[in-house]
Amino acid sequence: MSKYHFNEIEAKWQKHWAKNQTFKAENKSDKPKYYVLDMFPYPSGAGLHVGHPLGYIASDIYTRYKRHQGFNVLHPQGYDSFGLPAEQYAIQTGQHPAKTTEENISRYREQLDKLGFSFDWSREVRTSNPEYYRWTQWIFLQLFDSWYDKDQNKARAIEELRVVFSSEGNIHVNAICDEGIAHFTASEWLDFSETKKQEILLKYRLTYLAETEVNWCPQLGTVLANDEIVNGVSERGGYPVVRKKMKQWSMRITAYAQRLLDGLDKIDWPQPLKDSQTNWIGRSKGASVTFKVKNVPSSAVEKSYSIDVFTTRPDTIFGVSFMTLAPEHDLVSKITTAEQKEAVENYIEATAKRSERERMADVKTITGVFTGAYAEHPFTGDSIPVWIGDYVLAGYGTGAVMSVPCGDQRDYDFAKHFNLPIPNIFKDADISEGAYSDKENTIITNSDFLNDLNYQQATEKIITALEEKGVGEGKINYRLRDAVFSRQRYWGEPFPIYYKNGMPHAIPTECLPLRLPEVEKYLPTEEGEPPLGRATKWYWNEKNSEVVSPPSEGQGEDIYPLELNTMPGWAGSSWYFFRYMEDENRDEVFASKEALNYWKNVDLYIGGSEHATGHLLYSRFWVKFMHDRGLVPVEEPFKKLINQGMILGESAFVYRMNSKITISKIVSADDQSKSENWTKTISDSRIKDIELTNDKILLSNIFVDFNEYKRIKKEKGFSNIIMKDWEKERIKAYSKFIPENVKEFFNLDKYSISFNADGIHADVLFVNSHNELDIEAFKNWREEYKDAIFILEDGSIFDSNSSPSGRPGGDFKVSREVEKMSKSKYNVVNPDDICNQYGADTLRMYEMFLGPLEQAKPWNTAGITGVHGFLKKLWKLYHSPFEGGKGDVSPSQEPNDFYVSNEAASKDSLKTLHKTIKKTQEDIEHFSFNTSVSSFMIAVNELSAQKCNAREVLEPLAILISPYAPHIAEELWQKLGHSESISTAPFPKFEQQYLVESSKEYPISFNGKMRFTLELPLDLSKEEIESAVMAHEKTAQYLEGRTPKKVIIVPGKIVNIVG
RNA sequence: GCUCGAGUGGCGGAAUUGGUAGACGCGCUGGAUUCAAAAUCCAGUGUUUUAGGACGUGCGGGUUCGAUUCCCGCCUCGAGUACCA
């Protein structure tokens, strides 16, 4: 019988599919469309490990399934190829990032191709290609040319705003824009200079340039978005991040906060992902309140100031006993009194020095200082002291709070710390220990006209009162901040912007792409400008519309400097899913209307949950914007989304007895009783310890087997004094490896010795499935391990330097631990190796078999044999002459070993088949791929036992398996006599009739515990079942003479006898 | 701290509306085959036991004829978030 030669089969079909463009999607088709997308990869230098393709395999299975169901499926792939690692590498090596990116991409492509994915590569995108980023720049300019009209609740063209300004000024314009724009009339607008007009328009644009507080990462030399910072350090590299004011491009994503929130209800995404977007947007409902600052003579206040606050608890306004401003608040310098000036300035200086990380790590310390100023309570007129404190964040709300210590724990703690009054405005609430923040059971008291109202009523009433008095209004606030869009880096999209009189101007869209210039180094300039500042040719000639060299003295009036920043990583990934839709007219449009209208949105998107508040939020924002401006027909990019769980690695640890060996003097029981001596002995031994621990070379190259390590640790503990004879023997045995200068300490009569060992990562490549280390491979891994000595499982020593003939009997075992799969942990398993050894079909199936798609799970190469064995059995099923003769069809007429019969299948085989059709279909639709692999195994086991080689079973079976193991399925399909690819063969139709049973093996339970089973016909009535069960001899046995109180019968399910 | 998710054999995991807990695979044990190994095939494999059972889905309660599944209270682990007024 011919063997299952997976390497040949897989290479053959991969070549065939590529040559015939089997998976090319059509933009015009009678079939219904379906769009399956993977989050495109960043092509890193490390290549793929087995964890990366998990999502791609899942999406490919779904894609192939949909093709079998008769859909025209778009399943493209590309590369998110701008990014920091390539640039960091460029800085280190001087290699152009484009070159390394290109190399990495071809490596990725090679690896992806080996896995048999059904991608339509003809539509590939690379975000770093000028033909692609041309359109990223173009969309940026659309944002630049737009403003957000609150009345229409959508983005509109900036030209329309100009028209409004020229006819009625900005008084009636209700836009989402910068704060504090002065009002002007139409005639004033017309009189403004062009520069002034641009300055005003910039405050309205959806992407705008503004001096903002940004997260500056000095080590990376760039600013970072909030989602690029993890625990106060940069996501990439883990470098510290500090707050800094810089002029930056920002995206007015806040304009879309409510719509981004509302849209979540309309999309089928995992709840945790929706939750994290909801939290990130952070909508809170409350009120804004204005407090007047009282005039204080000593503060030299010339005009009157007021403090705006946002509060979610306006109902507690009568509980305000002080106000707190963020130290960065603009008013601080203006209202601080002369007496407090020094203290306030010192405080501001001190807080500015504290890094974001410090502030976060230390939230318990309460700091603050009084400004000397007082505000006036809008209802009682009382004087309220104004403090500053760093628990108030400049970036949220207005950067100021009305402090209600009885209702807010932070205000409470602040009040306690500075001895400020804590008036209680809650009926029957105890605030002696902490603030009372319960909203549900609140009854307000000591609050004038709010007395005896609950939270809801009081909130309503106070908002009305605030609005009547003109000192506040109901307001909704969002945590979401505008997104910083500038990066001080080289390897990103250049902004199509030049500066004229300090104002940004757009490069005409027909001149795009604005190509990334060459630079001689990828570092910032000496003046601290971004790397593009090094480009020799980076000016814009407005007249000729071209990039030129800087103007020389006295020349070039039409020549203006270009923007030096580049766009962030999320620019290119915020719209790439539209680009795949277009196949022919990519030079004319980002995607044609026809393509956009045909494909609409992504039906299924698969990727990691780490993009929850970055990519997935930004793309939703861009799509909503593009929809507003009529560029795309949809409002949400991804209809259904699935997060694949991470595949974790199983790290291997070898135990190295290193410099941690310590030695101490033997202490007798007598010594211990004399406490003076005891102390002295200890201190003596400490001196020795220090001498030794400083000697880093001591035993640094001795490795101990994991079991031996555990044994020693268990029996005595490495760090305890070794007393047992066998341990002494061992130490004597090891003593020959001990350097001369410390040999003195190994005198066991004088000293006792204690060992220690550390687990260090060993490459999992050197470890087999029984956790045994390949000692030779390990020694050759690193120069420093060349002369290593190994203490084996049986306690014997293997030292190849003294016994070169090879190692003795014992094994050397490592310990295992599940960790994230990463190069630095040496636990990376390469899919290429698996493909070579077992084949892509095995790898695909095994990755699915590991567990539920969305769950994190450890990779264990040992288990792969089960799936591989299954494919061998599957192959065998089609190649076994069960009936003792040859099958009547053997299309290839080659080595005639393919056995398929046209005779009718047995009833059992049809039952097996239809059971499997049903299960597979349900599983795929529920993305439960692990369970369908199990059902294939069951099916093949059953069919083999049934000796089935009926075509009417084996043909549909090949289709069922083809989404999972496409290569073997194609091969079998061809052998079955088909000349067309299996990929569009119709999915087998499930027919209930083959599953109809006439009897059921009933579980018979007594008081809920199953005791025995009884086969009964399914058409029996409850009464008949009962009498059949009661008549059974075992029933009497289990009843032990009792009379059943009740007999529960669920026909077709269970019988339960109670009593 | 808050939000979300998860706890089932030695391991990965299954049990679709409350109805035979542990499917399927790995590993392990025994056997066949082999000079031997690999590969393959067969049988067994939750714990415990006086061999009839008893106990078993993180822990403690509850609802039910019946709970891995539903409810209440805890514990542990993981992810996200971080003074959000």
Side-chain angles (χ1 to χ4, degrees):
Chain A
M1 186 186 76
S2 90
K3 276 179 76 180
Y4 169 42
H5 294 294
F6 51 85
N7 285 327
E8 284 167 32
I9 294 171
E10 290 177 2
K12 169 181 159 187
W13 288 105
Q14 282 161 15
K15 222 172 119 188
H16 178 93
W17 295 328
K19 205 178 128 206
N20 293 285
Q21 300 227 46
T22 309
F23 307 118
K24 200 170 171 349
E26 298 299 331
N27 272 16
K28 290 190 183 70
S29 170
D30 301 335
K31 295 177 174 179
K33 72 99 190 183
Y34 202 88
Y35 186 0
V36 182
L37 185 63
D38 298 294
M39 289 187 188
F40 63 167
Y42 173 81
S44 85
L48 293 174
H49 63 61
V50 288
H52 292 120
L54 182 75
Y56 305 155
I57 296 168
S59 66
D60 197 57
I61 289 171
Y62 202 76
T63 298
R64 287 173 180 271
Y65 170 71
K66 279 286 175 186
R67 287 204 195 95
H68 288 303
Q69 295 280 13
F71 286 82
N72 176 32
V73 187
L74 175 57
H75 185 42
Q77 189 56 287
Y79 305 96
D80 188 13
S81 48
F82 270 135
L84 280 179
E87 183 163 354
Q88 292 296 85
Y89 190 73
I91 291 168
Q92 285 159 21
T93 64
Q95 274 215 52
H96 198 289
K99 190 168 173 279
T100 41
T101 301
E102 182 75 38
E103 288 165 6
N104 293 346
I105 285 177
S106 38
R107 167 120 176 78
Y108 260 61
R109 179 63 191 273
E110 220 173 279
Q111 289 190 293
L112 290 171
D113 280 348
K114 273 197 174 172
L115 293 165
F117 294 127
S118 64
F119 293 128
D120 177 355
W121 283 107
S122 71
R123 296 172 188 247
E124 185 198 284
V125 303
R126 299 182 186 185
T127 56
S128 61
N129 271 7
E131 70 91 17
Y132 180 86
Y133 69 66
R134 165 186 179 178
W135 297 105
T136 309
Q137 292 173 332
W138 185 83
I139 295 167
F140 171 82
L141 290 183
Q142 303 305 306
L143 282 151
F144 185 70
D145 270 334
S146 302
W147 62 289
Y148 200 91
D149 184 345
K150 270 175 153 172
D151 292 336
Q152 292 188 17
N153 201 22
K154 63 181 259 195
R156 296 174 61 190
I158 209 93
E159 264 319 302
E160 294 173 20
L161 188 62
R162 275 182 179 253
V163 172
V164 176
F165 285 171
S166 337
S167 66
E168 54 184 65
N170 70 346
I171 295 130
H172 302 297
V173 170
N174 187 13
I176 294 196
C177 54
D178 288 4
E179 302 251 315
I181 302 176
H183 282 167
F184 52 79
T185 63
S187 57
E188 278 171 322
W189 171 258
L190 294 169
D191 283 345
F192 287 149
S193 69
E194 186 53 29
T195 304
K196 174 84 180 170
K197 283 178 181 165
Q198 285 298 335
E199 194 188 320
I200 291 167
L201 288 173
L202 193 54
K203 295 175 195 284
Y204 287 88
R205 295 179 191 276
L206 278 184
T207 181
Y208 60 97
L209 199 55
E211 183 94 352
T212 40
E213 280 245 320
V214 295
N215 307 300
W216 173 252
C217 178
Q219 271 85 347
L220 291 173
T222 190
V223 301
L224 299 170
N226 289 335
D227 67 279
E228 290 169 317
I229 301 160
V230 177
N231 295 328
V233 296
S234 65
E235 189 187 17
R236 287 214 186 258
Y239 304 114
V241 173
V242 295
R243 307 287 300 171
K244 195 176 168 184
K245 275 215 161 168
M246 282 177 83
K247 202 158 211 188
Q248 298 286 306
W249 285 100
S250 284
M251 289 275 165
R252 233 179 270 283
I253 188 172
T254 47
Y256 286 85
Q258 190 60 47
R259 285 169 66 189
L260 288 168
L261 215 47
D262 296 340
L264 290 174
D265 294 336
K266 295 173 204 122
I267 49 183
D268 182 9
W269 286 17
Q271 197 54 42
L273 205 148
K274 286 188 183 181
D275 289 345
S276 77
Q277 289 210 347
T278 305
N279 292 338
W280 192 261
I281 295 168
R283 180 186 202 263
S284 46
K285 211 177 148 191
S288 69
V289 185
T290 305
F291 288 75
K292 264 200 206 129
V293 179
K294 290 202 167 175
N295 276 339
V296 181
S298 59
S299 67
V301 173
E302 292 155 28
K303 51 180 192 176
S304 55
Y305 292 107
S306 59
I307 301 168
D308 289 326
V309 301
F310 172 73
T311 174
T312 53
R313 293 295 302 274
D315 58 313
T316 63
I317 194 161
F318 289 96
V320 175
S321 63
F322 60 101
M323 312 216 28
T324 317
L325 306 184
E328 300 91 337
H329 198 285
D330 288 342
L331 274 182
V332 173
S333 57
K334 292 172 186 153
I335 61 168
T336 301
T337 59
E339 300 85 62
Q340 290 302 104
K341 200 167 179 235
E342 203 187 329
V344 167
E345 278 170 4
N346 287 345
Y347 181 71
I348 293 172
E349 209 189 313
T351 49
K353 270 192 205 150
R354 290 177 79 195
S355 71
E356 191 80 346
R357 193 158 204 202
E358 263 181 277
R359 259 171 93 159
M360 266 168 52
D362 163 40
V363 293
K364 296 243 157 56
T365 318
I366 294 160
T367 63
V369 57
F370 180 43
T371 60
Y374 289 87
E376 185 184 303
H377 193 287
F379 293 101
T380 63
D382 290 350
S383 288
I384 309 166
V386 179
W387 285 66
I388 61 174
D390 69 357
Y391 81 95
V392 178
L393 305 174
Y396 183 74
T398 59
V401 299
M402 57 174 225
S403 301
V404 183
C406 67
D408 182 285
Q409 192 58 43
R410 292 155 304 172
D411 294 343
Y412 185 93
D413 294 340
F414 195 86
K416 274 262 146 113
H417 191 261
F418 292 108
N419 270 320
L420 293 160
I422 307 179
N424 191 354
I425 52 148
F426 301 117
K427 206 174 210 170
D428 304 327
D430 174 22
I431 56 159
S432 59
E433 292 297 320
Y436 180 80
S437 55
D438 185 1
K439 277 190 215 171
E440 301 304 313
N441 306 308
T442 296
I443 299 294
I444 305 286
T445 189
N446 297 331
S447 296
D448 195 353
F449 56 91
L450 300 180
N451 283 348
D452 300 321
L453 298 179
N454 66 22
Y455 162 72
Q456 199 110 39
Q457 297 159 330
T459 303
E460 253 170 62
K461 194 155 186 186
I462 189 69
I463 288 175
T464 314
L466 286 167
E467 286 170 358
E468 274 169 9
K469 237 177 175 266
V471 291
E473 56 184 352
K475 201 185 167 183
I476 286 158
N477 204 46
Y478 299 93
R479 196 187 81 122
L480 184 72
R481 301 268 66 89
D482 277 348
V484 178
F485 199 66
S486 300
R487 297 290 182 275
Q488 292 66 43
R489 305 292 300 206
Y490 175 74
W491 192 231
E493 299 88 347
F495 284 84
I497 291 288
Y498 62 95
Y499 290 90
K500 195 166 148 183
N501 303 323
M503 280 296 122
H505 283 69
I507 281 172
T509 49
E510 59 273 17
C511 301
L512 299 178
L514 177 66
R515 282 164 191 273
L516 200 51
E518 294 302 316
V519 294
E520 95 291 4
K521 259 206 264 179
Y522 304 96
L523 289 168
T525 66
E526 274 70 44
E527 294 79 39
E529 285 178 331
L532 292 193
R534 292 180 180 271
T536 49
K537 224 178 141 183
W538 198 240
Y539 278 78
W540 186 250
N541 186 323
E542 200 178 47
K543 207 167 168 186
N544 300 341
S545 289
E546 58 178 5
V547 178
V548 294
S549 303
S552 44
E553 295 280 330
Q555 287 181 317
E557 338 175 329
D558 297 317
I559 296 175
Y560 302 103
L562 281 159
E563 168 72 56
L564 298 179
N565 287 300
T566 53
M567 297 186 197
W570 55 271
S573 61
S574 292
W575 71 278
Y576 76 110
F577 34 90
F578 291 128
R579 186 60 165 174
Y580 289 128
M581 296 177 183
E582 185 52 54
D583 56 351
E584 280 168 3
N585 306 309
R586 285 189 167 194
D587 291 338
E588 285 111 66
V589 282
F590 73 90
S592 64
K593 284 267 176 285
E594 298 76 55
L596 290 163
N597 283 324
Y598 179 70
W599 293 110
K600 295 211 167 67
N601 29 25
V602 175
D603 293 288
L604 173 66
Y605 196 33
I606 296 188
S609 56
E610 67 274 21
H611 299 107
T613 50
H615 163 58
L616 290 173
L617 196 62
Y618 296 131
S619 1
R620 293 184 61 221
F621 156 47
W622 276 37
V623 169
K624 286 186 189 302
F625 160 74
M626 289 168 85
H627 177 261
D628 283 355
R629 294 300 315 273
L631 303 173
V632 298
V634 296
E635 257 211 86
E636 287 288 344
F638 317 117
K639 268 207 264 186
K640 181 174 176 66
L641 187 138
I642 287 186
N643 289 129
Q644 90 272 25
M646 215 188 313
I647 289 191
L648 303 164
E650 272 202 311
S651 303
F653 290 90
V654 292
Y655 287 81
R656 180 169 63 177
M657 297 173 30
N658 57 16
S659 57
K660 284 195 179 170
I661 282 187
T662 57
I663 297 171
S664 55
K665 218 169 187 173
I666 287 180
V667 182
S668 69
D670 279 357
D671 287 338
Q672 285 188 41
S673 60
K674 302 174 207 151
S675 58
E676 273 172 55
N677 282 349
W678 172 247
T679 321
K680 195 173 178 304
T681 313
I682 291 293
S683 62
D684 274 0
S685 65
R686 286 237 175 96
I687 294 164
K688 304 295 184 194
D689 279 353
I690 289 158
E691 281 174 22
L692 284 166
T693 48
N694 283 345
D695 191 349
K696 292 286 178 193
I697 59 157
L698 181 67
L699 299 190
S700 65
N701 246 347
I702 297 184
F703 293 88
V704 60
D705 168 87
F706 179 54
N707 289 325
E708 176 75 349
Y709 166 78
K710 275 195 297 191
R711 212 171 294 139
I712 298 171
K713 201 161 188 176
K714 193 176 159 199
E715 284 184 34
K716 207 62 203 172
F718 269 132
S719 47
N720 289 332
I721 296 161
I722 293 174
M723 294 290 237
K724 283 192 178 166
D725 283 348
W726 68 267
E727 286 167 324
K728 284 187 181 175
E729 283 308 305
R730 196 166 295 164
I731 287 157
K732 274 180 191 154
Y734 300 160
S735 69
K736 62 176 169 165
F737 311 125
I738 295 158
E740 282 303 318
N741 58 332
V742 290
K743 252 197 171 137
E744 183 216 331
F745 302 111
F746 281 79
N747 183 338
L748 289 163
D749 301 325
K750 269 175 84 182
Y751 299 103
S752 64
I753 301 171
S754 68
F755 282 87
N756 214 332
D758 280 335
I760 56 167
H761 280 102
D763 198 312
V764 290
L765 281 175
F766 309 145
V767 182
N768 68 11
S769 57
H770 299 280
N771 293 340
E772 291 158 7
L773 183 74
D774 180 342
I775 290 178
E776 284 311 311
F778 180 76
K779 282 170 67 169
N780 291 328
W781 188 28
R782 297 244 175 93
E783 188 57 35
E784 53 179 307
Y785 302 149
K786 270 256 150 21
D787 301 319
I789 292 148
F790 297 84
I791 299 164
L792 305 178
E793 195 172 16
D794 57 6
S796 64
I797 294 161
F798 172 60
D799 175 11
S800 61
N801 305 307
S802 56
S803 55
S805 53
R807 58 180 233 245
D811 290 318
F812 185 92
K813 290 204 171 160
V814 301
S815 74
R816 292 280 198 167
E817 217 173 281
V818 173
E819 294 181 294
K820 205 170 157 174
M821 199 173 275
S822 116
K823 219 175 162 185
S824 63
K825 296 187 164 72
Y826 302 103
N827 59 3
V828 171
V829 179
N830 188 325
D832 303 352
D833 298 342
I834 304 288
C835 278
N836 291 338
Q837 209 181 338
Y838 300 100
D841 285 341
T842 299
L843 177 63
R844 289 169 62 108
M845 282 204 134
Y846 185 55
E847 293 225 355
M848 293 299 105
F849 187 63
L850 279 177
L853 180 60
E854 307 194 31
Q855 234 169 63
K857 55 232 160 216
W859 175 267
N860 176 7
T861 305
I864 203 168
T865 54
V867 170
H868 189 61
F870 157 73
L871 286 174
K872 281 200 231 170
K873 275 191 224 169
L874 176 74
W875 182 259
K876 204 170 142 190
L877 180 64
Y878 288 74
H879 292 82
S880 297
F882 288 127
E883 307 305 329
K886 287 178 179 174
D888 43 29
V889 174
S890 185
S892 62
Q893 302 298 327
E894 276 162 29
N896 203 355
D897 56 358
F898 185 75
Y899 296 95
V900 168
S901 150
N902 282 336
E903 270 164 41
S906 73
K907 225 180 142 189
D908 281 350
S909 297
L910 286 169
K911 187 175 160 190
T912 299
L913 173 70
H914 282 271
K915 185 173 83 179
T916 312
I917 295 173
K918 184 165 189 264
K919 176 91 176 123
T920 307
Q921 186 154 2
E922 282 168 1
D923 284 348
I924 295 183
E925 276 158 17
H926 291 110
F927 301 93
S928 173
F929 301 119
N930 53 327
T931 49
S932 40
V933 177
S934 301
S935 63
F936 292 144
M937 290 175 171
I938 295 167
V940 169
N941 286 344
E942 286 179 5
L943 292 173
S944 302
Q946 293 156 11
K947 300 189 187 302
C948 172
N949 41 22
R951 172 183 288 272
E952 64 171 321
V953 168
L954 296 187
E955 207 157 72
L957 182 69
I959 301 172
L960 288 184
I961 288 175
S962 110
Y964 294 80
H967 307 90
I968 192 173
E970 282 278 22
E971 183 71 14
L972 294 172
W973 191 247
Q974 191 184 54
K975 285 189 165 203
L976 282 159
H978 299 275
S979 51
E980 290 287 301
S981 164
I982 195 172
S983 64
T984 49
F987 201 77
K989 203 171 169 314
F990 165 66
E991 285 178 57
Q992 183 67 38
Q993 52 162 319
Y994 297 108
L995 263 54
V996 174
E997 301 266 1
S998 59
S999 67
K1000 156 91 188 167
E1001 181 117 331
Y1002 278 94
I1004 313 299
S1005 301
F1006 292 80
N1007 296 321
K1009 286 197 176 86
M1010 207 281 286
R1011 295 302 178 183
F1012 64 94
T1013 59
L1014 179 60
E1015 179 146 0
L1016 292 170
L1018 269 170
D1019 52 10
L1020 289 191
S1021 68
K1022 274 194 182 189
E1023 291 70 29
E1024 288 168 315
I1025 295 174
E1026 183 168 346
S1027 49
V1029 171
M1030 295 317 287
H1032 199 271
E1033 52 175 15
K1034 282 196 180 161
T1035 304
Q1037 184 191 324
Y1038 283 103
L1039 277 174
E1040 293 166 327
R1042 284 164 296 160
T1043 319
K1045 286 193 195 114
K1046 205 171 169 187
V1047 180
I1048 312 278
I1049 293 165
V1050 184
K1053 291 254 170 175
I1054 197 173
V1055 175
N1056 190 17
I1057 297 162
V1058 188

